[in-house]
């Protein structure tokens, strides 16, 4: 009988009593025989600890103590993890059935590989909102945007050794920065169209498009990997672009603002054709008033 690789799953948690039981059950319910499950809690006070204790016989290591944020908690988990394959699953997301067996069947060696798949999105009432679609024919570049769905990503220990730990000074885009860093050291990205996890959208999560600190951090990460791109963008924003932007801001044109700007500045608008980059343009405009 072929021995399955050990998979270490790390769940960082802080006051997620409403969702964490489903997360835990989705991991131990995989019935994967060579699982190492690690839960790192940040000192929850909402009933989370009672849920963790309820399943502690199925959890190989858990701790509840104050941490320096989510990336710090995940790094604590990586420090004790001994698996051949590593990943993390946030305490408001969960795995679909057979996910870990699928991962083990694809990441079959000790090379520097990273697997990522599709993901179902639900709201806080567990109602389906949409599913992701990863086009295998499209040429993707992780340096220009995070196309990897974090709960559906898994990697070998060699990948982790080459890439290193998560940056603890980041709080919103540390997964994207880590994926981009993995790419920069030569990690091989493997894509599958299989749906591997469920991502929950709710009001309390950090990854909210209206979060100004998140937007600033994502811009900082993209500038890190694409400095020349932002030299061009910033130069355009400081010069003639805002004459058109001010025009497009009038109530008469606001509904078609980005259509107008795409006509006038096609190259620039192609570069910023993502929600947080559009937010960058708006933020730049507000700061320049």
């Amino acid at each position: 009988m072929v021995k399955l690789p050990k998979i270490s799953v790390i769940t960082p948690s802080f006051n997620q009593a409403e969702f964490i039981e489903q997360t835990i059950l989705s991991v131990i319910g995989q019935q994967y025989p060579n699982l190492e499950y690690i839960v790192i809690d940040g000192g929850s006070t909402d009933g989370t600890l009672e849920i963790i204790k309820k399943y502690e016989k199925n959890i190989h290591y858990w701790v509840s103590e104050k941490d320096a944020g989510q990336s710090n908690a995940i790094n604590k988990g990586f420090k004790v993890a001994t698996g051949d394959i590593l990943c993390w699953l946030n305490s408001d997301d969960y795995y679909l059935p057979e996910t870990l067996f699928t991962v083990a069947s694809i990441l079959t060696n000790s090379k520097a590989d990273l697997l990522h798949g599709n993901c179902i999105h639900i709201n806080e009432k567990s109602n389906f909102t949409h599913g992701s679609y990863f086009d295998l024919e499209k040429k993707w570049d992780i340096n220009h945007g995070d196309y990897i769905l974090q709960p559906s990503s898994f990697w070998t220990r060699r990948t982790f050794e080459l890439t290193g730990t998560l940056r603890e000074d980041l709080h919103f885009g540390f997964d994207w920065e880590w994926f981009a860093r993995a790419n920069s050291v030569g990690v091989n990205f493997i894509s599958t169209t299989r749906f591997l996890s469920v991502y929950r959208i709710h009001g309390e999560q950090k990854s909210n498009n209206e979060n100004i600190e998140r937007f600033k951090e994502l811009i900082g990460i993209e500038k890190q990997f694409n400095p020349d791109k932002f030299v061009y963008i910033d130069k355009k924003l400081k010069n003639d672009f805002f004459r058109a932007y001010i025009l497009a801001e009038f109530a008469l044109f606001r509904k078609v603002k980005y259509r107008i700007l795409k006509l006038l500045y096609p190259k620039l608008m192609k570069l910023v054709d993502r929600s947080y980059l559009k937010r960058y343009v708006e933020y730049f405009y507000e700061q320049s008033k």
Side-chain angles (χ1 to χ4, degrees):
M1 184 177 177
V2 178
K3 184 181 178 182
L4 291 168
K6 180 188 283 189
I7 301 180
S8 296
V9 179
I10 297 156
T11 292
S13 171
F14 182 66
N15 287 340
Q16 290 279 0
E18 184 178 0
F19 306 122
I20 193 172
E21 186 165 25
Q22 188 172 25
T23 302
I24 292 172
L25 288 173
S26 81
V27 176
I28 63 179
Q30 298 283 312
Q31 296 294 302
Y32 185 79
N34 203 2
L35 168 69
E36 179 181 60
Y37 191 29
I38 297 165
V39 179
I40 308 295
D41 181 78
S44 293
T45 57
D46 67 339
T48 293
L49 299 189
E50 287 71 23
I51 296 169
I52 294 172
K53 289 174 183 177
K54 181 178 176 181
Y55 298 101
E56 64 182 344
K57 68 178 182 179
N58 301 110
I59 299 172
H60 296 79
Y61 175 87
W62 75 274
V63 67
S64 181
E65 61 186 15
K66 187 174 177 59
D67 56 48
Q70 188 180 5
S71 51
N72 173 246
I74 297 166
N75 280 338
K76 285 183 180 181
F78 284 143
K79 190 173 182 178
V80 299
T82 61
D84 306 298
I85 297 171
L86 305 169
C87 58
W88 81 82
L89 181 68
N90 291 329
S91 53
D92 46 3
D93 302 330
Y94 59 93
Y95 287 142
L96 291 170
E98 299 293 315
T99 286
L100 296 187
F101 284 99
T102 298
V103 170
S105 72
I106 297 174
L107 296 178
T108 56
N109 56 57
S110 57
K111 295 180 181 178
D113 290 335
L114 184 151
L115 170 69
H116 62 97
N118 276 313
C119 181
I120 292 170
H121 292 69
I122 62 172
N123 61 23
E124 55 192 309
K125 294 182 179 179
S126 296
N127 296 321
F128 174 83
T129 60
H130 64 283
S132 65
Y133 172 68
F134 185 79
D135 185 354
L136 295 176
E137 301 300 316
K138 184 175 178 179
K139 189 175 181 180
W140 299 87
D141 186 347
I142 193 66
N143 289 340
H144 291 282
D146 187 7
Y147 60 84
I148 294 176
L149 297 153
Q150 181 277 313
S152 290
S153 64
F154 307 82
W155 51 90
T156 61
R157 177 159 290 278
R158 181 59 179 155
T159 291
F160 184 73
E161 290 170 348
L162 284 173
T163 309
T165 57
L166 299 172
R167 275 181 53 183
E168 295 186 9
D169 61 315
L170 300 177
H171 300 285
F172 305 96
F174 54 82
D175 52 344
W176 175 23
E177 193 278 337
W178 192 86
F179 295 142
R181 195 162 13 114
N183 179 66
S184 72
V185 297
V187 170
N188 177 45
F189 286 20
I190 302 171
S191 308
T192 176
T193 56
R194 287 282 300 268
F195 284 84
L196 302 175
S197 69
V198 177
Y199 176 83
R200 191 186 306 271
I201 303 166
H202 59 90
E204 298 301 314
Q205 67 189 160
K206 295 188 302 178
S207 53
N208 187 311
N209 284 334
E210 299 305 315
N211 188 323
I212 189 68
E213 295 305 318
R214 174 178 180 268
F215 139 73
K216 288 180 180 178
E217 185 172 290
L218 294 180
I219 290 299
I221 293 169
E222 181 142 8
K223 283 187 174 183
Q224 172 188 335
F225 290 104
N226 305 283
D228 292 342
K229 171 180 174 178
F230 277 88
V231 168
Y232 173 81
I233 290 174
D234 289 349
K235 182 179 178 181
K236 272 291 181 184
L237 294 186
K238 288 175 183 176
N239 295 330
D240 58 329
F241 175 79
F242 280 118
R243 285 198 296 270
Y245 194 95
I246 292 167
L247 173 66
E249 273 288 281
F250 282 116
L252 181 63
F253 301 116
R254 192 166 293 166
K255 288 184 179 180
V256 292
K257 175 170 63 179
Y258 284 104
R259 291 184 188 177
I260 294 171
L261 296 175
K262 281 182 179 180
L263 286 172
L264 296 173
Y265 298 92
K267 182 179 176 181
L268 175 64
M269 295 311 293
K270 185 176 181 181
L271 288 176
V272 298
D273 195 20
R274 286 196 300 282
S275 59
Y276 71 90
L277 285 173
K278 287 178 180 177
R279 184 72 184 86
Y280 180 67
V281 173
E282 292 170 358
Y283 179 77
F284 206 112
Y285 170 65
E286 291 298 325
Q287 296 299 307
S288 69
K289 284 183 177 179

